[in-house]
Amino acid sequence: DAGITQSPRHKVTETGTPVTLRCHQTENHRYMYWYRQDPGHGLRLIHYSYGVKDTDKGEVSDGYSVSRSKTEDFLLTLESATSSQTSVYFCAISKQTGNNQPQHFGDGTRLSIL
Amino acid sequence: AQSVTQLDSHVSVSEGTPVLLRCNYSSSYSPSLFWYVQHPNKGLQLLLKYTSAATLVKGINGFEAEFKKSETSFHLTKPSAHMSDAAEYFCVVSDSNYQLIWGAGTKLIIKP
């Protein structure tokens, strides 16, 4: 398995609180991604990073921000969590971009916003 | 724009019988296509990928998929299902910005 660690693995919090999820990789891959997974939707891209301090928005970026200060860490922040952000969040990495490059995934973080 | 449609939300087969999971895609150029598998409460694992080298792609655990441009399909098959194949399977296409577009998933149920 690719060396990807997501933390925490589970979190329950209240509406309006800030939440930060961490993705740590040991592969030294340039590209990192945050997805959310909801029933009936597959995975949807929130934000991605193509290098330290280089990030861009994905399909469902509203309400989320990211930061990448080191190659190995990619943080996803919900500034003020809402119940619609209850989901399973996956981090992924890839060595390069290009349309034949697979992504490798962490085990996910299950986030519940009450 | 690229899109992916997995034609069945659930597929149920008996152990030892063939598996067919259907995927259609739409793309304005020659796409790259992937199948991923997700076991319960686990992350996603790459099963196989198509990148125009060969239309029949072999993956892990005995799965294979055939790219058919004329039918815009990339169906996943396995000759004989095993109980350990019970999982959710995702068909994925890479778009023109190299982002992955995911199908909604097909849950594969294996009956003893």
Side-chain angles (χ1 to χ4, degrees):
Chain A
D1 288 346
I4 308 169
T5 304
Q6 291 186 232
S7 59
R9 292 294 315 280
H10 302 271
K11 187 170 181 69
V12 180
T13 191
E14 294 182 347
T15 301
T17 60
V19 177
T20 295
L21 309 183
R22 180 181 183 235
C23 178
H24 178 79
Q25 59 143 330
T26 58
E27 305 295 321
N28 201 36
H29 283 0
R30 180 179 173 189
Y31 295 88
M32 299 185 75
Y33 310 81
W34 276 109
Y35 291 90
R36 60 178 290 172
Q37 183 179 30
D38 304 290
H41 286 278
L43 269 70
R44 292 181 290 175
L45 182 66
I46 304 171
H47 282 279
Y48 65 100
S49 169
Y50 45 96
V52 173
K53 294 190 179 1
D54 291 324
T55 65
D56 206 348
K57 296 179 180 180
E59 178 190 355
V60 291
S61 60
D62 286 349
Y64 301 94
S65 62
V66 290
S67 66
R68 191 163 177 207
S69 58
K70 298 184 287 185
T71 297
E72 58 266 35
D73 289 325
F74 192 32
L75 304 181
L76 176 71
T77 297
L78 291 65
E79 302 289 349
S80 177
T82 68
S83 58
S84 65
Q85 294 175 311
T86 291
S87 187
V88 181
Y89 291 85
F90 285 98
C91 174
I93 64 174
S94 65
K95 193 171 187 179
Q96 339 173 19
T97 195
N99 68 353
N100 64 349
Q101 296 301 315
Q103 295 175 11
H104 304 280
F105 288 80
D107 285 339
T109 294
R110 189 172 295 273
L111 178 63
S112 296
I113 316 293
L114 304 179
Chain B
Q2 283 70 37
S3 67
V4 175
T5 303
Q6 291 185 243
L7 298 167
D8 306 291
S9 61
H10 294 78
V11 169
S12 180
V13 302
S14 297
E15 190 175 20
T17 64
V19 174
L20 170 64
L21 305 183
R22 299 181 295 164
C23 173
N24 286 353
Y25 70 92
S26 97
S27 176
S28 54
Y29 66 102
S30 183
S32 286
L33 293 154
F34 308 83
W35 276 98
Y36 281 82
V37 60
Q38 184 179 31
H39 287 92
N41 299 313
K42 293 289 187 185
L44 293 117
Q45 181 182 18
L46 179 68
L47 266 184
L48 50 81
K49 67 177 183 180
Y50 166 75
T51 57
S52 77
T55 56
L56 184 62
V57 183
K58 293 190 184 301
I60 61 172
N61 300 336
F63 284 93
E64 61 184 36
E66 186 172 9
F67 174 72
K68 290 187 177 180
K69 186 175 181 179
S70 61
E71 298 176 12
T72 61
S73 69
F74 190 55
H75 301 335
L76 182 70
T77 60
K78 182 173 181 177
S80 176
H82 191 272
M83 293 301 290
S84 62
D85 295 327
E88 190 159 19
Y89 292 79
F90 293 92
C91 182
V92 184
V93 65
S94 178
D95 76 4
S96 55
N97 293 319
Y98 307 138
Q99 304 307 318
L100 299 185
I101 307 298
W102 292 72
T106 298
K107 280 198 170 70
L108 178 61
I109 300 158
I110 312 295
K111 296 177 288 187

